[in-house]
Amino acid sequence: MISIEQARKAILNKIKPLPSEKLFLDQSLGRYLAQDVYSERNIPPWDNSAMDGFAVHTEDLAAGEGRLGIAYEIPAGALPQGPFEKGTAVKIMTGAPVPPGADAVVKREDTDEREGEVIVRKTPAPGENIRASGEDLRAGELVLQAGIRLAPAQLGLLASIRQVMVPCSQRPVVAIIATGDEVADFDEELTENKISSSNSYTLKALVEEAGAIPLYLGVARDTREDLADKFSRASRADLILTSGGVSMGDYDIVREVMTEGGNVMEFWKVNIKPGRPLAFGTISGIPAIGLPGNPLSTMTSFYQFARPAILKFLGARELLLPRLKAGLSCPVKGSTDRPHYMSGILTRDGEGFSVSPAGPQGSGILSTLSRANCYMIIPPEGKPLEKGRLVECEIFNPAW
Ligand code: AMP
Ligand code: MG
């Protein structure tokens, strides 16, 4: 059976980053930058004052203090009137351009101002309270690298260099098909032989959260015809996700349809718990991931295999969930044959982190995953793990 890494590699091999589109800056939050962005100007554009106070020639204050005439003032938004004479100072506001010749700004708190004069009580060091032109960004400097996800700080940076239109990667369309004769979406009555299709809603949300556009095609009955019909409606998608129908049961027809006609099945089964019966192939040339149907398996396999695929379409620099090591806050049952991705609760613990299972780990128990913020990865050592042992955790919900 192939490993998680081999399976992910095989899937990613079939995915090519999508072209870019230009978006208005204020529509680009959460999108992936498609090109490197350089600054055409220095930010800040001029040397400016870090304080409200007085721009001075420090040599006038060699005695450690002094009395200076006020030559003029520079309110916010104004430009300096020009050089100012020896023995004078210029009243200046935070952010205003420093007048030519000034080599420091005395902060207002260190002065007394009266009748056109300022008494300086403390001489600043040369350069003090002056922010240099270009200290944030220099003209020609790389501002942001292609493949980063645009968050508030990046939008502000783009605004500061006047980048009104932002090159972003196009969002992939991800078709979602639930399967199962026992599965009912909201458009179908929940008769006593049915369960509600929770996977339809977790998958739509996961796809959207990863930055793609979900194309939800409903629940296919467990017949080849119905499933093939749903696949035919996915012809505009960049990626197809199905849930269920990939195990050993008589009605598990996803794999069957994956091998019909021009469809290809690349692999079936991955060495992971939960979510072993993962299938991957192409349906009419479109990459298709057959996710197992048990709700915990569906989500876990999504994070391991479908999310990286979506992020590759988006040109993202980092395809995997962030990892950190945390100490077990209780002993944990070991895993024998496969790495066990347990639903865990990660918490701050002094200088580090500790983690514990979020509840019973049965692959149908979605309430456990709903309490979790991470996967705790239990290596297949065949023996229990003691309290305090460090384990790798993958964080899927940093907003816990
Ligand atoms: P299967 O692999 O199709 O046998 O599905 C495995 C398990 O997942 C079964 O218990 C199904 O009832 C359940 N299941 C399949 N699809 C869904 C779904 N869309 N929502 C919730 N549970 C599902
Ligand atoms: Mg089924």
Side-chain angles (χ1 to χ4, degrees):
M1 204 182 319
I2 64 174
S3 68
I4 298 169
E5 291 71 28
Q6 288 168 322
R8 196 152 48 215
K9 200 164 163 214
I11 294 171
L12 292 176
N13 264 338
K14 294 276 183 231
I15 310 278
K16 286 198 182 58
L18 294 174
S20 70
E21 59 185 346
K22 289 221 155 154
L23 294 180
F24 282 112
L25 174 64
D26 52 10
Q27 287 170 4
S28 65
L29 178 67
R31 299 288 297 257
Y32 285 84
L33 193 63
Q35 286 161 22
D36 290 344
V37 171
Y38 293 85
S39 180
E40 285 176 5
R41 55 185 93 203
N42 268 5
I43 307 290
W46 3 259
D47 292 354
N48 69 94
S49 178
M51 288 285 174
D52 294 320
F54 293 86
V56 296
H57 306 110
T58 49
E59 61 185 28
D60 291 343
L61 299 163
E65 52 180 23
R67 178 186 291 264
L68 305 167
I70 299 175
Y72 62 87
E73 68 172 52
I74 316 174
L79 289 172
Q81 288 165 26
F84 55 110
E85 280 174 23
K86 244 181 101 41
T88 68
V90 173
K91 190 171 182 184
I92 192 166
M93 309 301 148
T94 303
V98 169
D103 65 345
V105 170
V106 192
K107 62 175 186 284
R108 196 165 195 166
E109 293 86 326
D110 293 337
T111 65
D112 290 305
E113 184 187 348
R114 66 175 73 103
E115 288 156 21
E117 282 188 338
V118 58
I119 294 156
V120 176
R121 285 183 265 104
K122 201 173 149 212
T123 302
E128 199 170 319
N129 295 326
I130 294 180
R131 300 189 287 215
S133 169
E135 76 169 13
D136 189 351
L137 295 170
R138 297 212 152 267
E141 185 180 331
L142 180 63
V143 178
L144 294 171
Q145 281 185 308
I148 58 137
R149 191 169 202 206
L150 295 167
Q154 286 86 36
L155 298 197
L157 203 57
L158 291 167
S160 71
I161 62 164
R162 301 297 264 191
Q163 180 107 23
V164 181
M165 303 300 291
V166 184
C168 297
S169 51
Q170 286 177 22
R171 302 166 70 195
V173 172
V174 179
I176 298 166
I177 303 168
T179 72
D181 285 348
E182 80 286 23
V183 173
D185 197 352
F186 294 160
D187 58 357
E188 201 181 336
E189 203 186 332
L190 197 65
T191 48
E192 62 181 3
N193 56 335
K194 299 267 183 180
I195 59 163
S196 192
S197 182
S198 61
N199 288 347
S200 301
Y201 294 88
T202 50
L203 284 175
K204 275 192 268 188
L206 286 163
V207 164
E208 234 180 302
E209 194 178 60
I213 300 169
L215 171 66
Y216 178 58
L217 297 174
V219 181
R221 299 282 76 107
D222 285 327
T223 64
R224 289 158 71 151
E225 297 68 36
D226 202 29
L227 186 59
D229 175 59
K230 292 273 193 261
F231 279 144
S232 72
R233 294 202 274 138
S235 62
R236 294 253 183 83
D238 299 294
L239 175 68
I240 300 172
L241 301 179
T242 59
S243 95
V246 283
S247 346
M248 294 297 285
D250 288 348
Y251 300 95
D252 287 336
I253 33 83
V254 171
R255 283 188 295 129
E256 235 177 278
V257 178
M258 255 192 197
T259 48
E260 283 175 4
N263 303 338
V264 178
M265 195 165 83
E266 299 273 339
F267 67 78
W268 178 49
K269 287 192 176 171
V270 182
N271 202 35
I272 182 172
K273 180 183 179 174
R276 174 162 39 196
L278 186 93
F280 174 67
T282 52
I283 305 283
S284 307
I286 303 168
I289 306 178
L291 303 165
N294 281 304
L296 235 74
S297 313
T298 310
M299 287 193 72
T300 309
S301 341
F302 178 92
Y303 280 121
Q304 292 307 312
F305 306 106
R307 182 178 178 274
I310 289 171
L311 293 185
K312 186 166 177 195
F313 277 122
L314 288 165
R317 296 178 71 78
E318 179 56 63
L319 305 183
L320 304 182
L321 291 171
R323 272 194 181 202
L324 55 76
K325 281 195 169 74
L328 291 175
S329 53
C330 59
V332 167
K333 192 169 166 271
S335 176
T336 46
D337 53 340
R338 298 170 276 166
H340 188 173
Y341 279 60
M342 284 190 181
S343 305
I345 300 175
L346 185 69
T347 47
R348 279 177 213 275
D349 183 4
E351 302 280 287
F353 291 93
S354 62
V355 70
S356 57
Q361 302 286 328
S363 60
I365 305 176
L366 190 55
S367 57
T368 294
L369 194 47
S370 80
R371 281 189 287 271
N373 55 13
C374 75
Y375 288 106
M376 38 199 291
I377 305 168
I378 306 302
E381 293 171 353
K383 56 180 195 298
L385 277 66
E386 73 283 11
K387 185 179 167 185
R389 161 88 182 259
L390 286 180
V391 292
E392 294 273 2
C393 298
E394 285 190 357
I395 301 164
F396 61 79
N397 182 10
W400 78 83

